[in-house]
Structures are given as C-alpha cells and as structure tokens.
Amino acid sequence: MYKTKQVIVFGTNGTATDIVDTVREINRVAKHRMFACMGFLDDDPKHRSMIYDDVRVIGTLKKAGDYKNAYFVNAIGSTNNYWKREAIIDSSHVPRDRFVTLVHPTANIS
C-alpha cells in the first residue's frame, strides 16, 4: 500500500496552480494518490483564505513549521520577489529535505 505525501505549496502565483495540476496528473497516471495538496502558504494579506484551483490558502509561510508531516513545493517567483526567493524560503525554517520536486508525467526535454 502506498502512503500519500501531504504537500503544501509556497506561494499562490500561476506556478502554484500549475503545481496543483501536476499533483493531480501524477496521481492519475500512477493510478493511486501519491500526493495530496493540503493548501497554499502565502504572505500576501490579499490572498488569505482564498481558494485557487479548489485549494485553500491555509496561512503564511511562518506557519510552515506547524505542518510537521507535510512536504513542501516552492512556487515563489513573481517578478516582484524572484531575487528574494531563497531568503523567503529560508525564513520559513523548513529543512531542504522537506521540499519535494514534482515532475509532470508528460514533461519532455529534448
């Protein structure tokens, strides 16, 4: 039996909804639930409690430590904060080994 990894996405930009789509497609192709998207963490007050692609913003990045059994995916990278991305992620105090890399099953690099 497979254990589903609970995933939380940092950020809510366009890449974040692409990540949700990737999670769904990975699960579809695998024919079991490899990942479940628990929600988004975003520091922008305008995004609090919003829902994107059926997934809710569940708090700020500082709340990441509250989710002891979750894995994380970074979607931070807007033109407003791309150069600060590493510092923003570091401020969450999430160890790097708790971040997962998701690859869409139809990705192709020639």
Side-chain angles (χ1 to χ4, degrees), residues 19-33:
I19 290 169
V20 172
D21 176 59
T22 298
V23 165
R24 289 178 180 147
E25 194 63 12
I26 288 169
N27 292 341
R28 186 188 70 75
V29 169
K31 297 186 170 117
H32 64 90
R33 200 166 181 204

Side-chain angles (χ1 to χ4, degrees), residues 1 7 9 12 15 17 19 21 23 25 31 46 52 58 63 66 68 70 74 79 85-86 89 93-94 97 101 107-108:
M1 183 143 193
V7 174
V9 180
T12 56
T15 302
T17 55
I19 290 169
D21 176 59
V23 165
E25 194 63 12
K31 297 186 170 117
K46 295 181 294 196
Y52 298 91
I58 57 176
K63 291 287 189 182
D66 293 350
K68 303 290 185 211
N74 177 50
T79 55
R85 179 176 57 179
E86 189 170 351
I89 292 168
H93 303 290
V94 173
D97 65 350
T101 299
N108 184 13

Side-chain angles (χ1 to χ4, degrees), residues 11 20 23 26 33 43 46 62 67 84 92 109:
V20 172
V23 165
I26 288 169
R33 200 166 181 204
D43 288 342
K46 295 181 294 196
K62 288 181 176 71
Y67 299 96
K84 298 187 285 185
S92 73
I109 300 173

Side-chain angles (χ1 to χ4, degrees), residues 59-102:
T60 63
L61 294 175
K62 288 181 176 71
K63 291 287 189 182
D66 293 350
Y67 299 96
K68 303 290 185 211
N69 296 317
Y71 292 88
F72 299 89
V73 179
N74 177 50
I76 297 169
S78 78
T79 55
N80 297 327
N81 64 9
Y82 182 80
W83 64 93
K84 298 187 285 185
R85 179 176 57 179
E86 189 170 351
I88 294 168
I89 292 168
D90 288 345
S91 73
S92 73
H93 303 290
V94 173
R96 297 294 168 134
D97 65 350
R98 298 259 313 280
F99 282 86
V100 294
T101 299
L102 301 174

